[in-house]
């Protein structure tokens, strides 16, 4: 039974919008929660796309566009699909032990908080919260042994144009394993009540948290209250969560098919990717000498799967062939 | 739900089938798959990895939840079940055929339950 409620909320300095640090704080709060305790963490990320633990990053997110615009790709610890975050979005996390974990009660905190602000919230299935049939909140979960985390997003005033800019990827080109996202019709809370702001919603969540559990939460904590050990664990995890190994090198194999026409004929490339590397490659073309396609294959095999590495690899080709357009073309295909 | 007599069970809902004293197959129980719902992905270790008693060696994803799978033994991963990558639904459909890993060189094991004990445990 829950006897103590904690609230954690960072002061909204620029560091508090770092998505990797936020996930690391959440992980710390989850794995250090005491028995009979529930911690509510309220956090916001700067522009980023957050994918599920077992998703293919390239399939879910237009990574080039996102990073060119100064956004970040983030892989969370829980399951499910890709979501876009900006500062118009508020995230919540409930961290408890397994015996005290109650998704029904936790979800009630969210619905109660938004209903109080005039939102006709309804729960849909196990994971979504809707208003008039459109989703404003998605949830996901992770648990290990005795420790559980239930977290979610609440769209207050998210830039929906940007959202579709980064999440729309031509998925036909990428085939492989990994968990696929499900498209939803989404809505911002401000479309129902123009006066809703993130601070107002946070206040309402804190009140609903106390009401649902019938307990007055302790003092609101932020990382200034954390011990040195805690901060060092958080820093290490933030580094790991923002590293290539976690973001790009998970064993979720897929094939990227690139196809197009150059002045001299058609080209089709199949890049077989695993752990962020091109492990195998096939090149079909009528535009050049078959020997050249064998060279392309040998240059690309073992290359990192990103457009810079691929461009570097194919740039070693021109000396070998008379038709430079193929090199340009492969670059262009990857840009798209 | 079924709980074959030839398997041993853990409190964290894994089953283990010993081939001999130091070799075993590990998977998740019928009860576990039923509680988790439709499983869509399994993250398995690699051959040659060490597993440690009481620590997570794999995780599974179901309806947006990622859950760790704990190892009831310490030893070395000799084989992983590659078919789970292509057919994660096997964990739901045939949990006792859908083994995750084969472990060899087992040096220690937690206290395991018989089928009867496990059924009593989950009925609590």
């Amino acid at each position: 039974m829950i006897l103590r409620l904690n609230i954690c909320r960072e002061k909204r300095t620029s560091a508090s919008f770092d998505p990797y640090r936020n996930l690391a704080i959440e992980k710390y709060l989850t794995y250090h929660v005491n028995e009979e305790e529930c911690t509510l963490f309220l956090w916001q990320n700067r522009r980023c796309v957050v994918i599920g633990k077992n998703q293919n990053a390239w399939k879910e997110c237009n990574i080039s566009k996102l990073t060119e615009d100064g956004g970040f790709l983030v892989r969370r610890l829980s399951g499910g699909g890709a979501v876009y975050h900006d500062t118009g979005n508020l995230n919540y996390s409930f961290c408890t032990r397994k015996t005290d974990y109650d998704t029904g009660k936790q979800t009630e905190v969210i619905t109660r908080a938004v209903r109080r602000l005039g939102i006709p919230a309804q729960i849909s299935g196990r994971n979504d919260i809707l208003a008039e049939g459109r989703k404003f909140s998605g949830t996901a979960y992770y648990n290990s042994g005795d420790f559980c985390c239930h977290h979610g997003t609440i769209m207050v005033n998210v830039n929906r144009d940007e959202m579709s800019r980064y999440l729309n990827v031509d998925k036909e080109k990428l085939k492989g394993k990994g968990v696929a996202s499900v498209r939803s019709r989404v809505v911002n809370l401000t479309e129902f009540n123009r006066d809703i702001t993130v601070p107002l919603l946070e206040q309402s969540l804190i009140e609903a948290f106390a009401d649902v559990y019938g307990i007055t939460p302790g003092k609101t904590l932020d990382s200034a209250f954390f011990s040195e050990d805690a901060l060092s664990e958080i820093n290490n995890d933030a580094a790991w969560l923002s590293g290539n190994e976690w973001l790009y090198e998970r064993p979720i194999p897929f094939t990227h098919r690139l196809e197009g026409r150059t002045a001299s004929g058609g080209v089709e490339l199949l890049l077989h990717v695993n752990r962020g590397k091109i492990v195998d490659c096939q090149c079909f073309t009528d535009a050049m000498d078959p020997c050249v396609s064998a060279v392309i294959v040998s240059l690309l095999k073992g290359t990192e799967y990103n457009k810079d590495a691929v461009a570097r690899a194919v740039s070693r080709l021109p000396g070998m062939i008379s038709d430079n357009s193929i090199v340009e073309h492969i670059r262009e295909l990857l840009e798209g | 739900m079924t709980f074959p007599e030839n398997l041993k069970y853990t409190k964290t809902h894994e089953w283990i089938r010993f081939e001999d004293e130091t070799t075993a197959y590990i998977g998740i129980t019928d009860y576990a798959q039923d509680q988790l719902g439709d499983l869509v992905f399994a993250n398995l270790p690699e051959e040659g990895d060490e597993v440690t008693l009481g620590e997570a060696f794999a995780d599974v994803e179901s309806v947006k939840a990622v859950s760790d799978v704990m190892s009831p033994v310490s030893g070395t991963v000799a084989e992983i079940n590659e078919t789970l990558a292509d057919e994660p639904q096997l964990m739901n459909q045939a949990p006792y055929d859908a083994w995750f890993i084969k472990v060899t060189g087992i040096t220690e094991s937690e206290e395991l339950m018989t089928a009867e004990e496990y059924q009593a445990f989950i009925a609590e």
Side-chain angles (χ1 to χ4, degrees), chain A residues 53-54 78-80 126 139-144 177-178 250 275, chain B residues 36 40-41 43 46 59 61 63-68 70 85-86:
Chain A
K53 178 173 184 180
N54 297 313
S78 60
R126 276 174 68 166
T139 55
Y141 319 87
Y142 64 89
N143 59 77
S144 181
K177 303 192 201 314
R250 293 182 48 73
R275 293 183 176 276
Chain B
L36 290 166
V40 294
F41 202 87
N43 278 308
E46 294 190 324
D59 61 70
E61 179 169 340
V63 273
K64 302 198 180 183
V66 168
S67 305
D68 275 348
M70 311 304 250
D86 297 308

Side-chain angles (χ1 to χ4, degrees), chain A residues 194-252:
Chain A
R194 248 189 288 174
D195 299 329
I196 294 185
T197 58
V198 167
L200 209 60
L201 177 59
E202 285 183 314
Q203 196 46 47
S204 191
L205 283 164
I206 290 168
E207 285 165 22
F209 187 42
D211 286 354
V212 168
Y213 286 91
I215 299 169
T216 309
K219 192 169 187 255
T220 298
L221 302 176
D222 65 40
S223 57
F225 291 83
F226 292 169
S227 66
E228 252 175 61
D229 285 352
L231 290 172
S232 113
E233 188 176 328
I234 288 166
N235 287 339
N236 288 342
D237 278 332
W240 163 65
L241 289 162
S242 60
N244 282 348
E245 194 179 343
W246 173 251
L247 290 175
Y248 300 110
E249 295 168 14
R250 293 182 48 73
I252 305 172

Side-chain angles (χ1 to χ4, degrees), chain B residues 2-10 14-20 23-27 29 95-97 99 112-119:
Chain B
T2 61
F3 302 98
E5 296 288 336
N6 61 329
L7 307 178
K8 296 279 195 241
Y9 299 86
T10 70
E14 291 83 20
W15 59 259
I16 180 162
R17 189 179 79 231
F18 280 92
E19 295 291 289
D20 58 49
T23 309
Y25 287 89
I26 301 171
T29 67
Y96 301 112
D97 295 330
W99 56 278
L112 299 163
M113 288 179 275
T114 63
E116 200 181 333
E117 287 163 346
Y118 180 64
Q119 271 173 283

Side-chain angles (χ1 to χ4, degrees), chain A residues 133-151:
Chain A
R134 288 190 289 165
K135 175 174 169 178
F136 64 85
S137 175
T139 55
Y141 319 87
Y142 64 89
N143 59 77
S144 181
D146 202 21
F147 302 97
C148 303
C149 177
H150 159 195
H151 60 187

Side-chain angles (χ1 to χ4, degrees), chain A residues 135-309:
Chain A
K135 175 174 169 178
F136 64 85
S137 175
T139 55
Y141 319 87
Y142 64 89
N143 59 77
S144 181
D146 202 21
F147 302 97
C148 303
C149 177
H150 159 195
H151 60 187
T153 53
I154 306 174
M155 287 175 60
V156 177
N157 194 12
V158 173
N159 185 328
R160 287 170 54 191
D161 296 332
E162 303 257 291
M163 172 180 273
S164 45
R165 189 168 141 84
Y166 304 124
L167 293 179
N168 281 337
V169 179
D170 180 1
K171 294 184 179 162
E172 286 310 300
K173 285 185 192 162
L174 299 180
K175 299 253 185 245
K177 303 192 201 314
V179 175
S181 293
V182 180
R183 286 273 134 167
S184 302
R185 286 179 67 212
V186 295
V187 69
N188 279 310
L189 293 186
T190 50
E191 290 174 51
F192 294 98
N193 174 354
R194 248 189 288 174
D195 299 329
I196 294 185
T197 58
V198 167
L200 209 60
L201 177 59
E202 285 183 314
Q203 196 46 47
S204 191
L205 283 164
I206 290 168
E207 285 165 22
F209 187 42
D211 286 354
V212 168
Y213 286 91
I215 299 169
T216 309
K219 192 169 187 255
T220 298
L221 302 176
D222 65 40
S223 57
F225 291 83
F226 292 169
S227 66
E228 252 175 61
D229 285 352
L231 290 172
S232 113
E233 188 176 328
I234 288 166
N235 287 339
N236 288 342
D237 278 332
W240 163 65
L241 289 162
S242 60
N244 282 348
E245 194 179 343
W246 173 251
L247 290 175
Y248 300 110
E249 295 168 14
R250 293 182 48 73
I252 305 172
F254 67 98
T255 299
H256 187 174
R257 181 164 169 271
L258 300 157
E259 189 186 28
R261 294 198 73 77
T262 66
S264 45
V267 188
E268 184 186 356
L269 265 181
L270 291 176
L271 306 178
H272 304 284
V273 182
N274 195 16
R275 293 183 176 276
K277 276 211 166 74
I278 299 171
V279 289
D280 201 359
C281 166
Q282 288 155 283
C283 178
F284 307 100
T285 175
D286 52 13
M288 59 198 172
D289 184 333
C291 297
V292 175
S293 78
V295 175
I296 291 178
V297 167
S298 68
L299 286 175
L300 289 179
K301 252 194 201 181
T303 300
E304 272 177 56
Y305 176 70
N306 65 57
K307 66 178 190 214
D308 293 339

Side-chain angles (χ1 to χ4, degrees), chain B residues 5-116:
Chain B
E5 296 288 336
N6 61 329
L7 307 178
K8 296 279 195 241
Y9 299 86
T10 70
K11 285 183 178 164
T12 45
H13 311 293
E14 291 83 20
W15 59 259
I16 180 162
R17 189 179 79 231
F18 280 92
E19 295 291 289
D20 58 49
E21 276 184 9
T22 60
T23 309
Y25 287 89
I26 301 171
I28 59 170
T29 67
D30 203 357
Y31 176 81
Q33 70 77 23
D34 185 62
Q35 291 284 306
L36 290 166
D38 287 343
L39 292 159
V40 294
F41 202 87
N43 278 308
L44 301 180
E46 294 190 324
E47 281 174 25
D49 283 356
E50 299 291 321
V51 294
T52 307
L53 192 160
E55 287 185 12
F57 72 91
D59 61 70
V60 290
E61 179 169 340
S62 59
V63 273
K64 302 198 180 183
V66 168
S67 305
D68 275 348
V69 183
M70 311 304 250
S71 181
V73 296
S74 296
T76 306
V77 179
E79 215 178 312
I80 61 166
N81 188 352
E82 306 265 6
T83 56
L84 297 186
D86 297 308
E87 298 170 80
Q89 68 277 13
L90 286 179
M91 294 182 279
N92 291 114
Q93 291 162 358
Y96 301 112
D97 295 330
W99 56 278
F100 282 41
I101 55 170
K102 179 185 181 181
V103 184
T104 54
I106 293 173
T107 53
E108 52 176 348
S109 160
E110 68 174 64
E111 214 172 293
L112 299 163
M113 288 179 275
T114 63
E116 200 181 333

